[in-house]
Amino acid sequence: MEYFNIITHIILIMSLGWYLITNLQWYNYKLERVILKHHKWQWHITYFLSPIVLFYIIPEPYYAIYFYLIYMTSFVLWNKKLDKPLVLTSRVKRFLAILLFITFAMTALCLASPDCTNMFIFIPLILVYVISSIMEKIFFISFKHKAKQRFQSIAGLRTVAITASFGKTSIKNYLYHVLKKKYKTYKTPRSVNTIAGIVLDVNKDIPLDTQIYIAEAGARVKGDIEEITMFLEPDICVIGSVGEQHIEYFKTLDNIIHTKMEILKSPKMKMGFVHESVPIKPYPAITKYPNNLHITKSNLDGIWFDVEVAGNIEHFHAPILGSFNAINLTAVILVSHYLGMSINEIKMALCTLPQVEHRLQKIEAGGKIIIDDSFNGNLAGMLEAVNICSTHTGRKVIITPGLVESTDEANILLAKEINKNFDFVILTGSLNTHLFSANIDKEKVYVLKDKALMEATLAKTTRSGDLILFANDAPNFI
């Protein structure tokens, strides 16, 4: 029985470690965010605190019955239902290997010592976090130095860095599409926008014959963008639209603005393109935009707009959705023109602009129009998506968790606009359910508690001719 209890303790500690590293991966390995900013704090109670507390309350062998029949069953099912499960990266594997080694070592010491206490459940978790954090910092310093050397070895490389509260990934993708028509261009993949992601990208993937490198810079705390800027030392810096996205981390809009402006500290900056939402004084190396932007038409077929470039009003068309994208494209046009592309070259490139996946992406299937805007999580963008969908003459359905990392006022405004324009509303996640339920007609609302049932729910509630908008698909840990 003693050995059975020891095995139970080992599995318990490894389960707690698995839960801990899963949450750390979600929240960029910041323990304070896991503790203070977690959106599903009840999970901490169920999968972390409860098995520890009950370990000290329930005697053996009854604890083992609880642990294997109740806890492990629910823990395995919880992991299977996650739409963003733990990714077994090298860092995660090192974490789990260290935890297993410490657990076995302490178990051996306890077997040899009659004075061993059950406190050793906490000690392995504390030790693995401390040791892992120190190791990763050492590895990263070395990895970053190697990336810097590789980056500097690319002859004639010009770098464009982009930051914004929202729209930076779209600007990056659009700019890449235009510039690649003339230059050997490379961009950071997907939504990679942290120093760790950029360093990994430079070390592993950037081709050594790249002429223009495009990267986006994100931030959760002051100094994040400055660190990226000092690593990349971009020639061209772009600050897109700035608003209250991530307000819970920065507390005030001024803090957000000052953090975004860190990108202008680049020692090699030749030109900065700054959105008018940023209150910056005129400088010779700063161009404010959008300049004399006029949107002539925006519908489910694309956008048409006029904008001033080099003193002339030019007309552009792009087959992408959302009038707000005219602002993003203005930045693309100005940067591309500055880098040597003619207006005609830019116009031709914009006409072939592909839709960005999960950002107002139009898909037609089974007689239904699907607007996939699942990667859009800001108020202006979501309101624009609602507005575009309102032009559809048939029945309109929206699937959304609302706004994440935003204010109650913004969610209430969004809910009221959805209520005006949509016939059926499927709410995912519990974060904003109370706000939306209070501001949308009750007969329209359906709360989807398990996202695994999404396909079955849509099959049951939608029909041919419907327009379905997926707005901000937040992972289920939010």
Side-chain angles (χ1 to χ4, degrees), residues 154-171:
I154 304 175
L157 180 66
R158 289 183 287 183
T159 305
V160 181
I162 303 163
T163 191
S165 293
F166 40 85
K168 52 186 176 289
T169 303
S170 293
I171 294 174

Side-chain angles (χ1 to χ4, degrees), residues 12 18 48-49 85 120 184-185 227 281 311 324-326 372 389 408 416 435 451:
L12 168 62
W18 185 280
F48 193 82
L49 295 178
F120 96 83
K184 180 71 175 180
T185 308
E227 185 179 10
K281 295 179 180 179
F324 62 87
N325 267 317
D372 183 356
C389 293
D408 286 354
K416 289 180 178 179
L435 293 173
K451 289 173 69 176

Side-chain angles (χ1 to χ4, degrees), residues 159-161 234-238 269-273 335 338-339:
T159 305
V160 181
D235 308 273
I236 299 171
C237 303
V238 180
M269 189 184 82
K270 294 181 176 64
M271 180 60 70
F273 296 91
V335 172
Y338 178 80
L339 286 170

